[in-house]
Each structure stands twice: as C-alpha cells, then as structure tokens.
Amino acid sequence: MNKAELVAAIAEKTELSKKDSEKALKAFTEIVEEELKKGEKIQLVGFGTFEVTERKAREGIKPGTQEKIQIPASKAPKFKAGKALKDSINA
C-alpha cells in the first residue's frame, strides 16, 4: 500500500474527504518525526511504540574490495509492534 492508497483507505474508514485524510496523515507523520528528533518515545497502546535507538561507531568491511571502513555512530528510528497488533496478525 502506498501513501495515496493509505489516504484513500483513511478517507473511506473515517468518512473524511481525501484532502482532510491526507492532512491528518501528514500531521501524524510530522508529529512522530518531531518527537523522535527530540528523543521522545511515542506509545500507542495495542498498536506499538516508535522510538530512537543509538548505534555505536563500528568497523565494517566494504563488500567489493574487502577494505576496512569506519562506520560512524548514528541514531535510527525503530518501531516495536504491540501485543494486540501481533496477536491480530497471527490470528
């Protein structure tokens, strides 16, 4: 499912216009992004948790040349599915 299909599905479920659904989806993604940038965690009980994980600097190997390279430390967004979502998918 791409963004346009998601917007259409939201519009159908909520009986909002596609334009309003797109605004709501955009607001949601912007808020998640802003909170993660601040280092906050977003918990949606029953659905899952969005959070940021810290990756340490490490040494890697360039696949083509087998040359050793330094991979810098970084932050990465992470989503952990909640129990209710997992149970729903596995039912």
Side-chain angles (χ1 to χ4, degrees), residues 11-75:
E12 187 177 320
K13 281 259 190 199
T14 61
E15 298 180 3
L16 293 172
S17 69
K18 284 187 181 180
K19 191 172 186 175
D20 288 342
S21 296
E22 188 170 6
K23 283 181 187 177
L25 179 60
K26 185 175 180 173
F28 174 76
T29 57
E30 286 174 355
I31 291 168
V32 169
E33 183 179 343
E34 289 166 6
E35 292 301 306
L36 293 178
K37 280 182 181 177
K38 290 190 274 185
E40 298 293 325
K41 182 184 345 184
I42 298 175
Q43 265 183 301
L44 303 173
V45 176
F47 183 72
T49 304
F50 295 91
E51 60 187 330
V52 175
T53 59
E54 302 272 340
R55 292 182 177 169
K56 295 179 183 176
R58 63 194 190 281
E59 193 174 89
I61 298 175
K62 205 173 197 178
T65 62
Q66 302 301 313
E67 175 188 346
K68 290 185 179 184
I69 57 172
Q70 265 316 103
I71 301 170
S74 64
K75 295 178 182 179

